Amino acid sequence: MDLNGDGFNDILSGCYSQSGHSAMVGSYWVLYGDKEGKFAKPVELMGTDGKLLQVVHDLKGSAGDRLTQNICSRPFAVDWNGNGHLDIVAGNFEGSFFVFTGEGKGKFAPKAAQLMDTEGKALKISGVHSDPFIIDWDNDGDLDLLTGSSDGNIYWAENVRSRDEKVTGADRTPELTALKLLIKAPAASKDARAPSYGLRIWAADITGDGKLDILVGDTFHGGGGMRTDLTAEEKAAYEKADADYQLVMKDYQAAQKPYNDAYQAALKEAREKAGDKELSQDQLRAIYKEHVTDKMAKDEKVQAALTRMRETSAALNKFRTPAVSGGNLWVYEQK
């Protein structure tokens, strides 16, 4: 899409988080295009207040909804309110949706508004990782919302705003029903013959029959468990190594706890001294190094536990299947 209105296509992306901040943030990045079809280096979008464009600005402590509404940001640029400027409809880890109002030429108001349904309830998928795709799904002339989900389901919210409303210059913000299940996640299969987890969707007439289809990307993870071809002797060795690993993990966590507690106390003190000023990554790393890394390196009990963890993990790996992960591309054809 042409985000800044200069006549050239740009690339808009969300992110999970990034370095340079004291807490995890899910910001929005853009690669601006030029007349030669090339793209500039990615830059973070800022609001019209000059601050980072994000759903929640106060992330001190990174707790609860304030964090999950930001991270895993998934933007979709569209003229949501019908005023001629591109807005950003954004998904997140929480599974909810927010809108940043566009002010033209790639500028966006800093305050995000949460999308609500016609009953005043927040739109939210049953899983996490909301994935907004805005399109006229039911072919009635207005914008609806489709979304993938971490649970493998695909949902849609129908725009029920009357098309008879008058007229030029009026606010055309969609009025959405609660999310409805559009495509149920197929039953899990060992041979990966259906989309499974962490869906990202795109709607288009892929088959050329005049009907919108849904292109789906997913994620899969497998392996890492006990092999099924082990002899009785090997299975017993695996179970012993697994029990040993669980014990040494408890020992390591107990030995590490005093240092983590000291770090949290030092971090709290540093933040109180800083007041409203955000701690830099360098400051955070220095505090962690002083109270955790350096001291644990000299603690013989901690180092002994780490050595035993490596040894028991290596013993377990002899009896495990290889860990694999990746993704597939699927198409749901509309009939």
Side-chain angles (χ1 to χ4, degrees):
M1 87 298 299
D2 180 10
L3 195 67
N4 59 0
D6 65 356
F8 308 116
N9 283 329
D10 310 307
I11 297 175
L12 176 64
S13 176
C15 71
Y16 190 96
S17 189
Q18 73 276 358
S19 61
H21 301 276
S22 64
M24 295 176 68
V25 297
S27 56
Y28 306 92
W29 295 75
V30 60
L31 292 80
Y32 292 109
D34 63 23
K35 62 182 179 181
E36 296 178 354
K38 299 179 181 179
F39 296 92
K41 291 182 179 181
V43 294
E44 286 178 302
L45 279 179
M46 301 291 179
T48 50
D49 60 354
K51 298 180 180 179
L52 194 68
L53 194 70
Q54 55 185 154
V55 171
V56 181
H57 289 276
D58 179 14
L59 281 173
K60 287 186 178 180
S62 301
D65 293 345
R66 293 183 294 113
L67 176 63
T68 58
Q69 288 178 350
N70 271 16
I71 62 174
C72 306
S73 54
R74 172 70 163 87
F76 191 97
V78 63
D79 183 4
W80 184 246
N81 57 16
N83 68 352
H85 300 315
L86 285 177
D87 311 298
I88 292 178
V89 179
N92 53 35
F93 182 88
E94 181 189 58
S96 55
F97 304 87
F98 287 83
V99 178
F100 295 95
T101 302
E103 300 184 2
K105 297 184 178 180
K107 306 296 183 182
F108 297 92
K111 188 174 182 179
Q114 188 163 16
L115 285 189
M116 315 296 282
D117 65 25
T118 52
E119 295 183 358
K121 298 178 181 179
L123 285 178
K124 190 177 183 302
I125 58 177
S126 62
V128 295
H129 293 173
S130 46
D131 176 43
F133 191 95
I134 313 302
I135 198 167
D136 181 9
W137 175 249
D138 53 4
N139 198 31
D140 66 352
D142 56 28
L143 296 176
D144 308 301
L145 182 147
L146 302 179
T147 178
S149 175
S150 65
D151 59 14
N153 292 320
I154 297 174
Y155 304 88
W156 80 297
E158 181 185 1
N159 182 3
V160 293
R161 184 162 188 163
S162 171
R163 286 180 292 159
D164 296 330
E165 292 182 31
K166 308 290 181 182
V167 171
T168 306
D171 180 9
R172 304 293 295 172
T173 301
E175 295 178 1
L176 301 175
T177 64
L179 287 166
K180 298 177 280 189
L181 183 63
L182 181 64
I183 302 174
K184 182 176 176 56
S189 60
K190 294 182 180 179
D191 51 2
R193 291 184 177 176
S196 56
Y197 172 81
L199 303 193
R200 291 288 183 260
I201 66 171
W202 190 272
D205 180 10
I206 297 168
T207 60
D209 62 356
K211 299 176 183 177
L212 288 173
D213 310 299
I214 296 181
L215 188 68
V216 178
D218 71 356
T219 300
F220 66 82
H221 303 284
M226 185 181 71
R227 292 187 354 236
T228 58
D229 61 346
L230 297 182
T231 65
E233 183 179 358
E234 288 172 329
K235 184 176 180 181
Y238 171 85
E239 290 174 347
K240 181 181 183 305
D242 185 53
D244 290 344
Y245 184 79
Q246 299 305 321
L247 286 174
V248 75
M249 273 291 294
K250 289 182 180 179
D251 290 343
Y252 175 73
Q253 290 168 353
Q256 186 190 41
K257 187 178 184 303
Y259 301 110
N260 283 330
D261 291 345
Y263 167 70
Q264 292 298 331
L267 186 61
K268 181 180 179 181
E269 182 180 354
R271 282 178 169 155
E272 288 174 350
K273 288 181 179 179
D276 294 333
K277 189 176 180 181
E278 188 177 8
L279 296 176
S280 70
Q281 285 288 345
D282 287 341
Q283 289 174 308
L284 293 172
R285 280 192 288 266
I287 296 170
Y288 190 84
K289 183 175 183 296
E290 177 185 354
H291 294 277
V292 181
T293 307
D294 290 349
K295 292 184 178 180
M296 282 177 53
K298 299 176 182 178
D299 188 320
E300 293 182 0
K301 189 175 181 180
V302 170
Q303 294 308 310
L306 280 171
T307 299
R308 287 186 335 198
M309 283 173 60
R310 296 187 191 102
E311 292 171 350
T312 52
S313 181
L316 280 170
N317 287 338
K318 296 177 183 178
F319 308 113
R320 285 172 170 161
T321 59
V324 294
S325 61
N328 292 309
L329 197 59
W330 310 85
V331 176
Y332 283 114
E333 296 182 19
Q334 187 174 175
K335 302 300 183 182

